[in-house]
Amino acid sequence: MDAGAAPGLEGPPQQEQISHTKLSADDEWNLQQERMYRLHRGHESMHLEMIVVFLCALVVAQVVLVRWRQRHGRSYNLVTLLQMWVVPLYFTIKLYWWRFLSMWGMFSVITSYILFRATRKPLSGRTPRLVYKWFLLIYKLSYAFGVVGYLAIIFTMCGFNLFFRIKARDSMDFGIVSLFYGLYYGVMGRDFAEICSDYMASTLGFYSVSGMPTRSLSDDICAVCGQKIIVELDEEGLIENTYQLSCKHVFHEFCIRGWCIVGKKQTCPYCKEKVDLKRMINNPWERTHFLYGQILDWLRYLVAWQPVVIGIVQGINYSLGLE
């Protein structure tokens, strides 16, 4: 055969295989979405059953958790705090988030020392202020990180990142990470502050979670820290002022603010009369801190119990053959 016939014997041109190393990040994501769509196409009825299972589990879990919190609030708070502490650690190690792991370790070491100081008997007179200063710092830092993260997300959604030549994915990632750091450590700080507040007040004897105080409170003693009150009510203090609740008991202003705002207590440390937080927080900027604290309390359920609910739902779907 001559050489001129050779081209006619050539096979059909082979299609070039797509190399995933040549795909951009956006193309890789689109390809994964297309594969996911092909995998689940035609399973609409199964997806509906899975949604029903998830909604039912969510409602039942909410009812159980509410009843548990009402009847056994102390055990509920301890288990929730333990899950808040351990669940993110599991995902951090699994996904290799070393930056979060280093911050988590530093926070855990310092907080463990603060908790150790708060549970010592007899209680040092400097310990309450040390405890509230640390958790107030955590509270303010978490508030700042949360605001910065929220603004970064809003600016990205509005397209303001283009003015600074920042990629949308980078600015969105920064906003989500900052918001997560702020909310997570805000919740952890408030929960640990509440535990420390209970221990310190019980040790001093002016407060009891259930029952009557074991010590009588003098007019010139702060029931939160057990130290003497030097500044009079109508006197302007150099470092801090003296604050009087509606029940006529007086405290160091820093102590009672730490007790109510950071330690999540809404009653007098001595007589347990309800505290009017609106009267205590006169500055409108401080009202945002109180609202932020309420948001953190609501977020606790999402971080601590939502992974448990999702795990239960996945187990039910697996047992029913829903994939």
Side-chain angles (χ1 to χ4, degrees):
M1 297 179 66
D2 57 358
L9 298 178
E10 292 180 357
Q14 298 292 329
Q15 295 183 355
E16 183 179 359
Q17 297 293 329
I18 299 178
S19 176
H20 291 280
T21 59
K22 299 180 180 179
L23 295 178
S24 64
D26 293 336
D27 292 337
E28 180 71 22
W29 186 83
N30 292 332
L31 183 61
Q32 292 178 357
Q33 294 298 314
E34 183 179 355
R35 289 177 177 174
M36 186 68 66
Y37 173 75
R38 291 178 180 176
L39 180 64
H40 293 280
R41 185 167 50 190
H43 298 164
E44 288 77 9
S45 59
M46 183 181 296
H47 294 164
L48 181 60
E49 294 180 15
M50 295 174 69
I51 293 175
V52 172
V53 170
F54 175 75
L55 293 178
C56 292
L58 196 63
V59 172
V60 172
Q62 185 67 24
V63 172
V64 172
L65 291 175
V66 170
R67 297 291 294 175
W68 182 14
R69 184 176 183 180
Q70 290 176 348
R71 294 191 175 187
H72 308 282
R74 192 176 184 85
S75 63
Y76 170 84
N77 291 332
L78 289 176
V79 173
T80 302
L81 179 59
L82 180 62
Q83 289 189 223
M84 287 283 299
W85 205 5
V86 174
V87 170
L89 177 63
Y90 167 77
F91 288 104
T92 297
I93 297 177
K94 184 177 181 180
L95 300 176
Y96 305 106
W97 291 344
W98 306 121
R99 180 174 53 189
F100 176 84
L101 183 61
S102 60
M103 294 189 64
W104 181 91
M106 182 173 61
F107 171 83
S108 299
V109 170
I110 299 177
T111 303
S112 298
Y113 171 74
I114 296 295
L115 185 62
F116 172 80
R117 289 285 301 272
T119 55
R120 294 304 92 193
K121 294 181 180 181
L123 185 69
S124 173
R126 298 180 179 180
T127 299
R129 289 178 178 271
L130 173 66
V131 170
Y132 288 127
K133 282 182 179 180
W134 166 246
F135 288 116
L136 182 61
L137 175 63
I138 294 297
Y139 183 77
K140 290 183 175 180
L141 288 177
S142 68
Y143 182 79
F145 270 92
V147 170
V148 170
Y150 175 77
L151 292 178
I153 294 174
I154 295 299
F155 285 172
T156 304
M157 295 177 64
C158 295
F160 293 148
N161 59 294
L162 300 177
F163 292 101
F164 302 95
R165 297 182 179 181
I166 302 176
K167 294 182 180 180
R169 176 171 296 179
D170 294 339
S171 59
M172 184 63 74
D173 288 345
F174 171 78
I176 293 175
V177 170
S178 299
L179 184 62
F180 173 76
Y181 274 49
L183 296 178
Y184 174 74
Y185 287 107
V187 172
M188 293 289 291
R190 280 171 61 84
D191 284 355
F192 275 111
E194 183 180 18
I195 294 176
C196 292
S197 298
D198 286 340
Y199 270 108
M200 291 187 301
S202 299
T203 301
L204 291 173
F206 298 119
Y207 173 81
S208 176
V209 178
S210 58
M212 296 295 293
T214 57
R215 293 175 59 187
S216 60
L217 180 65
S218 302
D219 294 337
D220 59 345
I221 297 296
C222 175
V224 177
C225 66
Q227 301 299 306
K228 189 174 182 179
I229 297 176
I230 301 176
V231 181
E232 299 294 335
L233 282 173
D234 54 353
E235 183 182 351
E236 187 73 20
L238 295 177
I239 300 178
E240 66 175 343
N241 298 324
T242 300
Y243 190 87
Q244 185 180 49
L245 298 179
S246 57
C247 58
K248 305 304 180 182
H249 292 126
V250 293
F251 307 89
H252 297 120
E253 185 178 15
F254 183 84
C255 292
I256 194 61
R257 285 177 176 270
W259 172 268
C260 295
I261 300 175
V262 181
K264 298 193 302 180
K265 303 296 184 181
Q266 298 186 15
T267 58
C268 172
Y270 184 69
C271 66
K272 298 183 181 180
E273 181 176 326
K274 188 171 180 61
V275 175
D276 186 4
L277 293 177
K278 294 182 179 180
R279 175 173 169 265
M280 178 182 296
I281 304 175
N282 297 322
N283 189 341
W285 288 104
E286 291 185 351
R287 294 183 185 273
T288 59
H289 286 274
F290 178 65
L291 177 62
Y292 181 68
Q294 292 179 325
I295 295 176
L296 294 180
D297 292 339
W298 172 79
L299 184 73
R300 182 187 298 103
Y301 167 78
L302 295 180
V303 177
W305 295 108
Q306 196 66 17
V308 177
V309 175
I310 294 177
I312 294 175
V313 170
Q314 290 181 345
I316 295 175
N317 291 335
Y318 179 79
S319 63
L320 296 178
L322 304 176
E323 300 180 0

